[in-house]
Amino acid sequence: MRRLSIHLPSWLQDWLEILIPASQILLILFAAWLINLFFKRVIYRAGAHYALPRELLVPLRGVIRWLIIAATVLLILERLGVSATVLWTAFTGFATVGAVAFFAAWSVLSNLFCALLIVTVGPYRLGDYIELLDTAEKPGAKGRVVDINMLYTTLEDASAAHREGALLQIPNSLIFQRVVRRWKGGIHAHIPEDAPPSPEEEAAALALTTRS
């Protein structure tokens, strides 16, 4: 490049110091865009082929996108003359802060990860009747699954002491630390014998009592 610049006009030689880094930055951005597009298509094709849930594809897509953005920013800063030592110091500083934040928010992150496992593995579904046990013999929280979000699984409480539509919010991470007894199906699925009667059953029983 230096040999070539000797044969160029003096006014053009001054512009080379700007044009060369600018062209390199444009190439880096174009390459990052192509890589991002490639991984986007690969992820969604794999999701369509293996019937993966969207709740799993979106976070995976976001992680890859941010990794590409971080690598692109580092390469651009290097082209602009920022030394590798400064970049490494900044990277280690951000990594340390990220590690501290990760351990500080471990309970929340574990619930998020377990929510993805619940969606993908499917230990239970909406409408199923489940019981959360410390052991297989000791009874625990039980009810019908009415909601599954990124932090909690919500059960319609089926204990004898709460028959007025009380809800149990169980952290998703706790699901994988307990024995789960599951009755598959929707509202007409099999219900355990010790489960409280539904409002319809109570109304029918009250009507029969009144008639008699």
Side-chain angles (χ1 to χ4, degrees):
M1 184 62 67
R2 292 182 179 178
R3 294 179 180 179
L4 180 61
S5 62
I6 296 176
H7 302 284
L8 295 176
S10 58
W11 62 271
L12 187 57
Q13 295 180 11
D14 296 334
W15 281 96
L16 285 178
E17 297 181 358
I18 299 176
L19 292 176
I20 293 177
S23 61
Q24 291 175 340
I25 291 174
L26 290 176
L27 287 175
I28 292 172
L29 292 174
F30 181 69
W33 178 77
L34 288 179
I35 295 173
N36 182 63
L37 183 62
F38 170 76
F39 278 106
K40 180 180 179 180
R41 292 183 177 179
V42 168
I43 290 173
Y44 284 114
R45 286 183 180 179
H49 180 73
Y50 295 103
L52 298 176
R54 187 174 182 273
E55 291 81 359
L56 178 63
L57 298 178
V58 172
L60 179 61
R61 175 77 186 87
V63 170
I64 293 178
R65 181 174 64 249
W66 282 107
L67 288 176
I68 294 174
I69 291 174
T72 303
V73 171
L74 291 176
L75 289 175
I76 290 175
L77 290 176
E78 184 180 1
R79 293 297 92 192
L80 292 177
V82 180
S83 65
T85 303
V86 174
L87 292 177
W88 178 251
T89 303
F91 174 77
T92 54
F94 283 121
T96 302
V97 173
V100 173
F102 175 81
F103 286 107
W106 170 248
S107 60
V108 175
L109 294 175
S110 63
N111 285 325
L112 293 176
F113 180 70
C114 290
L116 295 177
L117 290 179
I118 291 172
V119 172
T120 54
V121 178
Y124 52 84
R125 300 293 183 187
L126 288 176
D128 289 349
Y129 188 96
I130 66 172
E131 185 175 7
L132 201 63
L133 311 171
D134 289 330
T135 63
E137 295 80 16
K138 186 178 179 180
K142 56 186 174 181
R144 186 173 289 108
V145 180
V146 296
D147 183 48
I148 303 173
N149 58 39
M150 299 303 291
L151 294 178
Y152 297 100
T153 292
T154 303
L155 305 181
E156 186 178 4
D157 193 358
S159 61
H162 302 89
R163 296 189 181 182
E164 302 298 329
L167 299 178
L168 296 173
Q169 285 190 317
I170 302 174
N172 292 324
S173 60
L174 187 63
I175 300 294
F176 291 89
Q177 302 174 18
R178 298 289 187 270
V179 178
V180 177
R181 180 179 290 148
R182 175 191 183 191
W183 290 265
K184 296 180 61 176
I187 191 170
H188 299 292
H190 172 71
I191 300 298
E193 295 180 356
D194 60 342
S198 64
E200 292 80 7
E201 294 173 341
E202 290 183 347
L206 180 62
L208 291 175
T209 303
T210 304
R211 290 178 183 177
S212 60

